[in-house]
Amino acid sequence: MNYTSYGLVNTQKMFSDALGNGYAVPAFNFYNMETLMAIMTAAQECRSPVILAVSESALKYMGSRMLMGMISGLGLDGKTPIALHLDHGGSVDACRAAVDLGFSSVMIDASKLSIDENIDITRTVVEYAHAHHVSVEAELGILAGIEDENTSSTYGNYTNPDDVVRFVHATGVDSLAIAIGTSHGAYKRKSDDEKLRFDILELIAEKLPSFPLVLHGASSVPGKLVDIINTYGGDMHGARGIAPDQLRMATSMNICKINVDSDSRLAFTAAMRSYLTQHPDVFDPRKYLGLARDMITQNCIDEIRTIMNSENRY
Ligand SMILES: [Zn+2]
């Protein structure tokens, strides 16, 4: 089914507006009804565009029929900037299947392959997706993090600015995830002093001045959520994300989409741990799942306001 029948939009207009106005569209991952509702409530309350991101494992967890049933249940109008996006599609087949299901945007992640193989696979996905007016994101550089910086080239695992123009032109891709020092997960850095490589971002933006760039692994890992988890029996000491001011600075440059997954997971876990510990007699899941949903909503609102700068955009 085509995504327009779900009232979804692709990311084209979202990104041109974000690029022109110095903000980033948040891409929040979800994996069940509570996380989807939480993101939607935050987006509606802030009037922020939003990208609903689904990983391949989340798709498997929900099941495609249940997932698309929930998207249908949102009752979208096709005018509000809300996209459904496959996060880190690992193969051409996975991306094609997402397009056929009704996704309005897909990411093909062939970043671990050589640049020529990455170009070939990405171009194949672009041909299929564009025939259905679906947006495509690709990735160049390795988002593994600071410790893996052990290759001999000048840029290590960071995105090499000399590659981006060839990659974008050869593939026809709509946006590009770059590696400038972010990494996935809740343990991103050893100290708060580690900074993103804005020098590389600037070089890339100079070569592609009006092209949307994407930051993955950009959860800020709010200390207050980690503290709640640790207070109520968890052990996440040393969890540390990207400082919000660094992310906010990236949005004022060419970063048009910022992915957040870990922060919602932290909010979910903090709610569950604190509620169940404080209410040992309660066994109604709506109580603690409801609190989890509310805490994710609050975290999304905070990030829309302090990091994305995407409030009141429609
Ligand atoms: Zn990612």
Side-chain angles (χ1 to χ4, degrees):
M1 197 138 69
N2 189 272
Y3 63 86
T4 52
S5 43
Y6 291 98
L8 294 158
V9 301
N10 68 24
T11 59
Q12 206 170 15
K13 272 198 198 127
M14 285 188 191
F15 288 164
S16 59
D17 194 63
L19 202 56
N21 294 290
Y23 68 93
V25 179
F28 293 120
N29 285 72
F30 72 97
Y31 28 84
N32 62 10
M33 185 189 78
E34 281 77 14
T35 45
L36 175 59
M37 289 172 82
I39 297 162
M40 287 303 298
T41 303
Q44 281 157 355
E45 200 168 312
C46 296
R47 299 188 69 77
S48 168
V50 73
I51 294 169
L52 303 168
V54 181
S55 66
E56 282 192 65
S57 61
L59 179 54
K60 201 172 160 197
Y61 177 78
M62 290 181 275
S64 56
R65 284 170 68 112
M66 183 61 77
L67 163 63
M68 298 318 289
M70 288 195 292
I71 296 299
S72 178
L74 297 176
L76 303 175
D77 61 7
K79 297 186 189 87
T80 316
I82 294 166
L84 180 65
H85 172 77
L86 179 69
D87 191 23
H88 289 283
S91 65
V92 174
D93 284 349
C95 293
R96 279 198 184 132
V99 170
D100 295 345
L101 267 179
F103 281 59
S104 61
S105 173
V106 294
M107 175 191 190
I108 174 69
D109 181 359
S111 60
K112 287 192 177 70
L113 304 176
S114 73
I115 181 162
D116 290 318
E117 290 169 301
N118 192 347
I119 285 174
D120 278 349
I121 290 174
T122 301
R123 190 170 47 205
T124 307
V125 171
V126 167
E127 278 164 14
Y128 189 78
H130 282 186
H132 297 79
H133 307 287
V134 169
S135 313
V136 181
E137 173 184 333
E139 180 170 323
L140 201 54
I142 308 255
L143 261 147
I146 313 289
E147 300 122 70
D148 303 83
E149 212 185 324
N150 54 8
T151 64
S152 54
S153 84
T154 319
Y155 293 101
N157 284 331
Y158 297 121
T159 304
N160 185 338
D162 296 331
D163 291 337
V164 293
V165 174
R166 173 163 83 99
F167 185 87
V168 165
H169 288 163
T171 57
V173 79
D174 303 290
S175 63
L176 184 66
I178 57 167
I180 57 166
T182 58
S183 63
H184 293 113
Y187 300 87
K188 296 182 193 302
R189 31 199 58 205
K190 296 188 185 81
S191 85
D192 292 328
D193 300 330
E194 291 171 20
K195 300 266 188 283
L196 298 180
R197 289 290 301 271
F198 286 107
D199 56 325
I200 299 178
L201 174 56
E202 257 173 36
L203 285 172
I204 294 171
E206 268 170 31
K207 288 172 192 285
L208 296 169
S210 51
F211 188 79
L213 302 173
V214 176
L215 271 190
H216 279 246
S219 281
S220 56
V221 187
K224 61 185 176 189
L225 296 177
V226 175
D227 288 346
I228 294 171
I229 290 171
N230 288 337
T231 301
Y232 293 103
D235 182 2
M236 293 198 65
H237 299 277
R240 191 178 279 115
I242 313 291
D245 63 322
Q246 294 259 302
L247 295 168
R248 179 65 173 244
M249 179 135 122
T251 68
S252 70
M253 301 166 76
N254 284 29
I255 298 296
C256 293
K257 169 175 176 272
I258 293 186
N259 287 29
V260 170
D261 188 359
S262 294
D263 291 347
S264 301
R265 296 181 187 201
L266 290 168
F268 203 128
T269 304
M272 298 285 284
R273 281 199 176 279
S274 62
Y275 191 93
L276 290 171
T277 307
Q278 290 175 296
H279 304 87
D281 56 326
V282 175
F283 67 101
D284 180 350
R286 291 171 296 185
K287 301 279 190 218
Y288 42 87
L289 291 176
L291 179 65
R293 188 173 62 183
D294 293 347
M295 281 181 69
I296 294 169
T297 297
Q298 193 52 55
N299 186 71
C300 290
I301 290 174
D302 289 348
E303 297 193 342
I304 283 168
R305 290 184 175 150
T306 60
I307 292 172
M308 312 289 172
N309 190 24
S310 63
E311 197 173 15
N312 291 321
R313 298 295 176 174
Y314 63 86

